[in-house]
Amino acid sequence: MTSMSRARVARRIAAGAAYGGGGIGLLGAAAVGVLLAEVRMARRVVGNGHSPHPPSAEGVYGHTHGSRYGRAYGYGSYGSSYDVPDDPPLRLVMLGDSTAAGQGVHRSRQTPGALIASGLAAVAERPVLLRNVALPGAQSDDLDRQVALVLEDPAQIPDVCVIMIGANDVTHRMPPTRSVRHLSAAVRRLRTAGAEVVVGTCPDLGTLEPVQQPLRWLARRASRQLAAAQTIGTVEQGGRTVSLGDLLGPEFEQNPRELFGPDNYHPSAEGYATAAMAVLPTVCAALGLWPEEERPDVSRREGFLPVARAAAEAASEAGTEVTAAMPTGPRGPWALLKRRRRRRVPATDPAPTAAAEAQPGA
């Protein structure tokens, strides 16, 4: 499917979500049925190594152990060794499904939340308080509950929220208009409360090892269509997106033993590090911590595009960021498409490495 075709489909899905339209099928009913059977077979062994639960990574990052903020919030301290006791911590919250929760790894420091928090603390040079309300197996309709948890205390509004959602919507046949409607509502509520929002869009389900062709192609097509529609819905509500589908596609396909965990479904520590390093620059940019060029870098094919076209382009390329740029015009809302530098980090000690490699221009 060309980017223009994907843009048209994404625009239709987003419009249906905004105006309460019915579901627009991403795949034919027969194909979806067979795909679901394949995916369910692939997921029979899904777990977290020896435990079905992801490790908890909540805590204060960027402080030496025993700092007053770690004690005040009842958490231990992680990350880099500098100590800035007078700076209040930035508040980072992870929402979404098992990917946001970090299912598939054994150590808390290997989860995407811990990696992003460590990197953010290094760039901001201040502590970061991480909270994670993501639920393994969640679909986009669970975001309503998760956002309510995040906003229940007006005195604890996060500075930035990272949402990773979408894979279960595809495998459970949630109509994409409904999926995008729930995501858009979540972004709107968080932005209205004052939090910045970064969405890691639907990953590429065509990379699951047990799923064979032609179902891999169908899964990839459905994933990218949903990712593009998610981008439109998010950007229109004032959030930013980072495409994970293509990022986790070719790299996972070429290195499945390195980037998938023991269950062959969730990412390994190396896979989560790859995803976290794609999301981290956008999280920093949302908080004004990343140096911004005055104009898009044409050599990197960055630029201002109608939001639907930017969404389609992002769904096809690893780690591409899309954010609102201009008011609505004759061709609809516009967006800025950026391809920020990213580097994959080793899985041996991801939290400190993530913090070190998060520096702008790395």
Side-chain angles (χ1 to χ4, degrees), residues 223-310:
S223 302
R224 290 186 178 184
Q225 286 180 2
L226 179 57
Q230 287 177 319
T231 295
I232 296 175
T234 298
V235 169
E236 288 182 344
Q237 299 302 326
R240 302 181 185 221
T241 63
V242 178
S243 58
L244 297 184
D246 195 55
L247 170 73
L248 303 183
E251 293 187 23
F252 273 44
E253 203 166 34
Q254 292 168 17
N255 304 289
R257 301 304 176 196
E258 295 178 14
L259 297 175
F260 278 121
D263 56 30
N264 292 324
Y265 186 85
H266 292 102
S268 64
E270 177 75 2
Y272 277 131
T274 302
M277 289 305 96
V279 173
L280 177 59
T282 299
V283 170
C284 294
L287 295 172
L289 300 172
W290 204 260
E292 299 282 357
E293 297 293 335
E294 292 184 4
R295 289 182 292 183
D297 188 342
V298 178
S299 67
R300 294 166 61 86
R301 294 180 294 115
E302 298 180 345
F304 297 97
L305 298 169
V307 67
R309 185 178 166 193

Side-chain angles (χ1 to χ4, degrees), residues 163-208:
I163 303 175
M164 296 180 176
I165 199 84
N168 296 317
D169 296 9
V170 175
T171 60
H172 289 78
R173 289 188 289 181
M174 176 180 285
T177 50
R178 182 182 170 202
S179 175
V180 174
R181 188 179 303 125
H182 283 292
L183 176 60
S184 298
V187 174
R188 180 170 60 251
R189 290 172 63 191
L190 292 169
R191 293 290 293 127
T192 300
E196 297 292 340
V197 180
V198 175
V199 175
T201 55
C202 182
D204 186 351
L205 295 179
T207 60
L208 293 180

